[in-house]
Amino acid sequence: MRIGIIGTGLMGFPMAQRLLEAGYQLIVYNRTTSKVEPLREAGATVAGTPQGLIATSDCILLMLTNQDAIESVLFRSEFQSFLSGKTVISMGTISPTDSKTIQKDILKAGGDYLEAPVLGSIPEAKAGTLQIMVGSTEAQFEQWLNLLKCLGEPKYIGEVGSAAALKLALNQLIASLTTAFGLSLNFVQQQGVDIELFMEILRNSALYAPTFDKKLQRMLEENYENPNFPVKHLLKDTNLFLQEAVKMGLNASSLEGVKAILEATQKLGKSDDDYSALFTTIKP
C-alpha cells in the first residue's frame, strides 16, 4: 500500500511522520521542497509534482487549506487521468458543499473519495491522538480504518459532507469561545480584578472550557509565535461556516463580529500568528 500526502505543513508533517513510523510506503509532496527534506531522510519518497505523487500512490491524503488548493493539484487536465482507481482522503477543513463537489469530480474521473477532517493540533498530530471525523460510506470507513488509526481516533459520522459540517461547527466554537474569553479577560484586567481569582471562579463554573487555560498565558504575555493554528486559517474556516449558515437561513450575526475581529487581527500583520492574537485586537 503506497500512501501519498500532499501538503506537509503544520499538521501534514507530523502526520507523515506517524505513517512512516507505522511502516507505510510514503510519498510526499509540498510546494516548498525544503519542508519535505526531513521526511526524505526518514524514508519517504519525495515527488517532484502532484502528478508524480498521484501516479505512484494507491491512496492520497490531502492536508490542504481550501478547495482552490485541492482543485489545483487534482483537477488540472493533465492530472485527472491519474485519478482512476485511486482513493483520495481530504483531511483539511473545507465546506460540506465543496467536499461534495470534489467527491463528484473524483468519481467522474474514476477515483474514490472520502473526507476525514481532524480535530486537534500539532501535539495531537505528533502523538497520534487526533479526533478524526469520517464522511464516507460505511464500507469505505472500514476499508481505511487501520490507516486512519495511525493518526488518531477515527469516528464514522455519515455520508460525505457530514464530517466537513461537523468540523466547521467545532471550529466556529474555537473562534467564538476564544473571542468571548479574550473579551472577558481584557475587561477584568481593565477593571483591576485579579486574574487568578477570575480564573479560579471561572474554572469552578459551568462556563469553563479547557481552551481558556490553553490560551491564557499567550494572551497575558501577548506571545503568539509558533502557532498550532494560525489566524489566517481560523478566519478562513469562519468564512466557510458563515457561507454555509447563510445558505441555511441561520442567524449568524454573532459570528460576523468574530469575523471582524479576526480580519482586524490579520491587518495587524498577525496572519501567521496563533489565533489567540485576536486578544491584541480586542485591547484598547
Side-chain angles (χ1 to χ4, degrees):
M1 180 69 66
R2 295 164 299 178
I3 306 299
I5 293 186
I6 299 179
T8 56
L10 291 176
M11 294 290 288
F13 186 89
M15 290 166 67
Q17 289 178 314
R18 294 284 308 177
L19 293 176
L20 284 171
E21 291 166 4
Y24 282 96
Q25 296 182 51
L26 191 66
I27 306 146
V28 295
Y29 171 79
N30 194 289
R31 285 183 302 175
T32 306
T33 55
S34 60
K35 291 184 177 180
V36 294
E37 282 308 312
L39 295 173
R40 187 202 301 272
E41 293 170 6
T45 299
V46 176
T49 63
Q51 180 182 7
L53 183 143
I54 295 166
T56 53
S57 301
D58 300 302
C59 175
I60 300 102
L61 307 183
L62 303 178
M63 278 304 295
L64 299 170
T65 54
N66 54 39
Q67 184 192 22
D68 290 342
I70 293 172
E71 289 182 348
S72 71
V73 301
L74 291 185
F75 300 126
R76 284 165 56 180
S77 58
E78 66 266 34
F79 294 178
Q80 288 197 46
S81 61
F82 290 94
L83 288 171
S84 180
K86 313 288 185 175
T87 295
V88 176
I89 305 179
S90 176
M91 303 192 73
T93 304
I94 57 176
S95 75
T97 300
D98 289 343
S99 192
K100 291 174 184 177
T101 299
I102 292 166
Q103 178 192 35
K104 180 180 177 181
D105 290 340
I106 288 176
L107 291 175
K108 187 177 178 181
D112 205 7
Y113 173 83
L114 56 153
E115 60 188 18
V118 302
L119 187 66
S121 195
I122 296 171
E124 290 78 18
K126 288 180 177 179
T129 57
L130 293 166
Q131 292 190 63
I132 305 173
M133 297 155 277
V134 183
S136 66
T137 65
E138 292 189 25
Q140 287 174 314
F141 179 74
E142 292 298 329
Q143 180 182 359
W144 298 106
L145 182 58
N146 287 336
L147 172 67
L148 295 175
K149 277 184 174 180
C150 294
L151 305 173
E153 303 169 13
K155 188 172 184 63
Y156 181 68
I157 306 302
E159 62 184 14
V160 167
S162 61
L166 178 53
K167 180 58 165 55
L168 280 186
L170 293 167
N171 280 18
Q172 185 277 140
L173 281 173
I174 293 173
S176 295
L177 285 172
T178 306
T179 305
F181 175 67
L183 182 60
S184 288
L185 178 62
N186 207 298
F187 183 81
V188 296
Q189 274 186 316
Q190 298 293 328
Q191 295 288 341
V193 176
D194 181 77
I195 298 303
E196 275 307 310
L197 185 58
F198 164 64
M199 292 302 301
E200 178 186 339
I201 293 172
L202 179 58
R203 291 182 190 113
N204 289 313
S205 75
L207 305 172
Y208 178 70
T211 188
F212 299 159
D213 267 310
K214 287 184 178 180
K215 296 304 175 184
L216 174 63
Q217 210 56 39
R218 276 191 180 271
M219 290 179 175
L220 293 178
E221 296 175 1
E222 297 193 54
N223 175 15
Y224 310 121
E225 296 179 351
N226 302 313
N228 289 332
F229 190 26
V231 169
K232 63 184 178 183
H233 289 168
L234 186 56
L235 176 57
K236 181 265 294 183
D237 295 346
T238 299
N239 281 323
L240 288 177
F241 184 95
L242 283 168
Q243 290 166 15
E244 295 289 319
V246 167
K247 283 190 270 185
M248 297 167 65
L250 296 175
N251 184 344
S253 55
S254 61
L255 192 60
E256 290 285 357
V258 173
K259 173 187 171 182
I261 289 172
L262 287 167
E263 288 175 335
T265 305
Q266 187 163 260
K267 287 178 182 176
L268 290 175
K270 298 185 178 297
S271 181
D272 293 312
D273 286 351
D274 187 84
Y275 66 87
S276 55
L278 59 81
F279 184 69
T280 300
T281 306
I282 292 170
K283 291 180 69 175

